[in-house]
Amino acid sequence: MLKRWGMVAAAGGVLAACTTMTADGPSTSSPTAETVTVAVGPCFGFCPVYQVSVAPDGMLRFVGERHTAVIGERTKMIGAAASHALIRDLTPYRPATGNETQVACTATVSDTSSYTVTWQDRDGRKTVATVQDHCPGGPGQSLGALLRTLPTRLGVADWAKQVTRPGVSRG
């Protein structure tokens, strides 16, 4: 009987470790229960413009907007482990829940793409961080480097590949 109670107590401890504290008390949401969307904005040239979202269960949604090999929406399953790994790697750049921030960069780079990372929890609350690509220093430099790996890491490099189409302006 004591063995059973020990297992119940251990399970309770594991579940308690999954909760986070907020000003209002414990919250059952965790970073791995969030959908993460990375929007890649335009640059001065023909940079790919797209969004890629990853749900906690590993469902990926890609929307190519401009200068990408795929225009429109595509979906695929990448798996929960890949989703959780992405969320883990983005955690150091995540602002406090419900806040928006510009990730620090040592200099302003105006003619490159921007990234907007949005974490959305099950209740619809959004937390947003933005960074300019090719930031020369500061936390923005490492975040930009991480975000540039996403197409390959998430298996959408062929969809996000830069394509120039006749009649489509740059920027």
Side-chain angles (χ1 to χ4, degrees):
M1 185 62 134
L2 284 176
K3 192 174 188 179
R4 261 193 217 143
W5 283 110
M7 291 173 69
V8 168
V14 168
L15 290 174
C18 291
T19 64
T20 56
M21 292 300 290
T22 65
D24 300 328
S27 167
T28 56
S29 67
S30 71
T32 57
E34 295 178 313
T35 295
V36 175
T37 300
V38 177
V40 182
C43 68
F44 186 66
F46 294 96
C47 300
V49 178
Y50 62 91
Q51 291 183 30
V52 63
S53 298
V54 179
D57 65 357
M59 180 54 74
L60 178 141
R61 178 177 171 261
F62 174 90
V63 180
E65 297 176 20
R66 188 168 54 199
H67 307 305
T68 55
V70 170
I71 300 295
E73 183 177 332
R74 297 270 172 97
T75 60
K76 71 185 224 171
M77 181 60 77
I78 62 168
S83 172
H84 294 187
L86 172 63
I87 291 167
R88 180 196 64 231
D89 291 349
L90 290 172
T91 295
Y93 308 99
R94 186 186 185 281
T97 299
N99 289 331
E100 293 187 27
T101 191
Q102 175 77 31
V103 178
C105 186
T106 56
T108 302
V109 183
S110 62
D111 59 350
T112 62
S113 297
S114 62
Y115 293 101
T116 302
V117 183
T118 304
W119 294 262
Q120 184 169 346
D121 66 19
R122 291 179 181 152
D123 297 329
R125 285 182 300 215
K126 293 182 179 180
T127 303
V128 180
T130 58
V131 67
Q132 201 68 35
D133 197 13
H134 297 291
C135 173
Q141 182 179 31
S142 57
L143 177 56
L146 170 64
L147 294 172
R148 281 191 300 279
T149 69
L150 290 188
T152 301
R153 178 178 182 170
L154 299 176
V156 298
D158 288 342
W159 299 347
K161 183 175 67 175
Q162 191 274 335
V163 172
T164 304
R165 291 181 176 83
V168 178
S169 66
R170 64 182 178 180

